[in-house]
Amino acid sequence: MTHEPRNDSALPPLPPLPPHRDPADAWVVAPSGERYWGLHGAAGLIAFDPLRGVLLQHRAGWSHHGGTWGLPGGARHGSESALEGALREAAEEAEVPAEALTPVATHLLDLRVWSYTTVVARVDSPFEARVADAESLALRWVRPEEVAELDLHPGLRTSWPALRPLLGLRPALVVDVANVVGSVPDGWWRDRADATARVLAGTARVVAAGLPASVFGVAAHSVLPETVAVVEGAARGAVAKGSVRVADAAEDGDASVLAQVEELRAAGATVVVVSSDRGLRRRLGDDVMTLGAGTFRSLMSA
């Protein structure tokens, strides 16, 4: 979790660095003298199981804020993303299997000289966490309403009110590919299959990096949605890219988009539809959020 500012003249010395460590496992010293762990920032994981709660780590006494309860996490290594860092640290410290999780959102603390990203993930396949290194005294599944009762790491205590609403989030994105393809006159009509493949590849990149949480009306940094791309006409049969699922429209593309939306909402998802088609937007109704094709293209090219 967040490493709070320290006044070295008033507090005990910082714990020694481990003898075998990644080069990024070091302290960042701010101009004010405050120190934070991780040259490239740090990341932690909230694994949320609807039946058991949140997985918390009882920190070893020698560690920073030892004896408190926090999240599996630590310094990000090299060029790894916050998601990659959080999953790696959770596996190293608690044997959390990445394949059992679906990441849904990130929460960012950005101090300019240092940052901490909390990755919120839903547990899809229950697993038994195990203490896997010397940084933990114990691991425990804690129900959300009981988390604040524990002696929490100061960083988690500060961020918990913002993190708790993200636990039940299930974001989903439905992309009207034909509308996105046709939103730019780049010669797509000469090869619709190729134009569709480019949009699918761009969609996969956006989803992997995370959409701005504001797209879903969520108070977080980014959202990692389940994504369905609806293709129609000559583009049917397109190959899926990354985590994006492709759904071929039988005849009416709009009807297929509506069907995907209803299926996802029935499963408890919060759905955003990518399309600038006014007729489709009217059929979706006011209770389904939409994102314009132009805005989505801007995200793909960012």
Side-chain angles (χ1 to χ4, degrees):
M1 289 303 303
T2 308
H3 286 79
E4 297 298 310
R6 297 179 66 94
N7 182 335
D8 290 338
S9 64
L11 295 175
L14 294 167
L17 297 176
H20 303 292
R21 68 183 195 277
D22 186 273
D25 291 337
W27 295 100
V28 171
V29 181
S32 61
E34 297 165 346
R35 301 185 187 186
Y36 306 94
W37 183 247
L39 294 184
H40 305 300
L45 178 75
I46 286 188
F48 174 60
D49 185 328
L51 297 179
R52 295 182 293 175
V54 174
L55 179 64
L56 294 184
Q57 172 198 60
H58 196 191
R59 299 171 63 85
W62 58 264
S63 66
H64 198 214
H65 294 294
T68 62
W69 289 87
L71 303 176
R76 292 166 55 182
H77 291 175
S79 60
E80 71 180 357
S81 68
L83 175 59
E84 291 167 339
L87 293 176
R88 175 185 52 75
E89 286 284 340
E92 292 175 356
E93 296 180 359
E95 295 188 1
V96 176
E99 63 273 13
L101 307 172
T102 296
V104 297
T106 67
H107 179 274
L108 175 66
L109 170 68
D110 188 353
L111 302 179
R112 294 185 179 273
V113 298
W114 181 86
S115 66
Y116 188 96
T117 303
T118 304
V119 175
V120 180
R122 181 180 69 247
V123 175
D124 294 320
S125 301
F127 61 89
E128 293 303 322
R130 296 180 178 83
V131 173
D133 63 16
E135 296 187 33
S136 305
L137 295 173
L139 299 166
R140 182 193 302 176
W141 293 96
V142 182
R143 298 187 65 80
E145 62 270 21
E146 298 173 353
V147 168
E149 299 174 4
L150 298 175
D151 181 15
L152 298 178
H153 183 290
L156 179 56
R157 181 168 296 282
T158 299
S159 60
W160 179 243
L163 293 170
R164 184 174 177 180
L166 302 177
L167 298 183
L169 181 65
R170 182 180 175 182
L173 191 73
V174 178
V175 182
D176 180 1
V177 175
N179 187 262
V180 177
V181 166
S183 63
V184 175
D186 58 359
W188 57 264
W189 51 88
R190 289 191 292 269
D191 192 340
R192 298 192 182 201
D194 183 64
T196 295
R198 293 198 301 272
V199 168
L200 291 177
T203 299
R205 290 194 302 272
V206 169
V207 171
L211 274 77
S214 58
V215 171
F216 283 81
V218 174
H221 176 64
S222 69
V223 169
L224 303 160
E226 174 184 358
T227 303
V228 181
V230 177
V231 298
E232 57 184 284
R236 284 182 294 182
V239 177
K241 305 289 185 180
S243 64
V244 177
R245 176 168 62 87
V246 173
D248 287 337
E251 292 183 4
D252 183 350
D254 288 2
S256 294
V257 169
L258 290 166
Q260 293 295 332
V261 170
E262 290 307 312
E263 180 179 335
L264 288 164
R265 295 183 72 189
T270 299
V271 182
V272 170
V273 175
V274 177
S275 182
S276 294
D277 186 316
R278 294 182 181 180
L280 174 59
R281 288 189 172 199
R282 284 194 295 271
R283 294 175 69 180
L284 287 168
D286 295 335
D287 58 341
V288 176
M289 293 179 288
T290 58
L291 181 66
T295 302
F296 189 66
R297 277 192 173 272
S298 297
L299 293 174
M300 288 196 296
S301 61

